[in-house]
């Protein structure tokens, strides 16, 4: 009977925080787009976004633990984190599809161009020979352009579920707290 009461609380809490994290993702993407769309192809912006997502996921897990009495198993903490991350990633993917197909259909080509330029600078920094660099950049251009299609973004969501699981493992490990054993 106790489990029946915990389940809705679990789902409600996880969905609420997934919606908040999805909203944060949308706001971050919109801010980057409004400030300078090249940020969308920036590794530093990507790392900042990932740090914010993970940090919020940890906060949500600890908040859930505190809300249910201060103790949370790793399994439940992992499940909570996974729901938060996977649902927020879905929200982010849907928004990105809207951004790239409805709001600014030319954005994928512009972001691809920036990503290829960034890759070229990195290859030059590594001292890659010109011939190899041209071949690699042609492949990078093709792969990056595919990534920004609706199908590519949808497939990217599928792959992002692996990242969601990793983030859920991390946040679950931090949010878990065993009840003290009584003798």
């Amino acid at each position: 009977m106790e489990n029946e009461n915990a389940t809705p609380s679990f789902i409600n809490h996880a969905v609420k925080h997934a919606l908040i994290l999805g909203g944060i993702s949308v706001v971050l993407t919109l801010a980057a787009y409004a400030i300078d769309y090249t940020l969308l192809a920036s590794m530093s912006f990507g790392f900042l976004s990932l740090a914010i997502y993970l940090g919020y996921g940890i906060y949500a897990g600890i908040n859930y633990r505190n809300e249910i009495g201060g103790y949370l198993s790793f399994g439940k903490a992992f499940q909570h984190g996974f729901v938060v991350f996977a649902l927020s990633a879905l929200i982010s993917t849907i928004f990105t599809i809207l951004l790239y197909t409805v709001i600014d259909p030319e954005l994928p080509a512009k972001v691809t161009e920036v990503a290829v330029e960034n890759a070229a600078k990195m290859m030059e920094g590594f001292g890659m020979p010109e011939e190899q660099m041209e071949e690699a950049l042609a492949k990078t251009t093709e792969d990056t352009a595919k990534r920004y299609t609706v199908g590519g973004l949808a497939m990217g969501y599928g792959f992002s579920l692996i990242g969601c699981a990793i983030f859920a493992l991390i946040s679950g490990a931090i949010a878990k707290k065993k009840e003290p054993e009584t003798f």
Side-chain angles (χ1 to χ4, degrees), residues 3 13 32 69 76 87 92 105 108 110 115-116 122 125 132-133 155-156 172:
N3 225 4
H13 192 276
K76 227 18 165 181
L87 185 54
S92 179
K110 294 190 280 190
V116 171
M122 194 166 63
Q132 278 184 319
M133 200 163 94
M155 191 161 46

Side-chain angles (χ1 to χ4, degrees), residues 52-64:
I52 290 169
Y53 300 152
L54 182 58
Y56 188 83
I58 292 167
Y59 163 78
I62 292 171
N63 180 268
Y64 177 63

Side-chain angles (χ1 to χ4, degrees), residues 11 55 80 97 119:
I11 293 298
H80 183 272
I97 290 170

Side-chain angles (χ1 to χ4, degrees), residues 67-137:
E67 215 173 86
I68 62 167
Y71 301 104
L72 183 63
S73 71
F74 172 74
K76 227 18 165 181
F78 170 80
Q79 290 171 347
H80 183 272
F82 188 76
V83 170
V84 169
F85 291 122
L87 185 54
S88 66
L90 179 62
I91 292 165
S92 179
T93 299
I94 291 168
F95 174 74
T96 303
I97 290 170
L98 288 173
L99 177 63
Y100 289 173
T101 60
V102 177
I103 298 169
D104 189 350
E106 292 161 13
L107 186 60
K110 294 190 280 190
V111 173
T112 297
E113 185 179 322
V114 172
V116 171
E117 287 172 9
N118 290 344
K121 288 176 190 170
M122 194 166 63
M123 290 175 197
E124 286 172 1
F126 290 139
M128 183 180 273
E130 188 72 32
E131 186 179 296
Q132 278 184 319
M133 200 163 94
E134 286 178 21
E135 188 177 309
L137 289 176

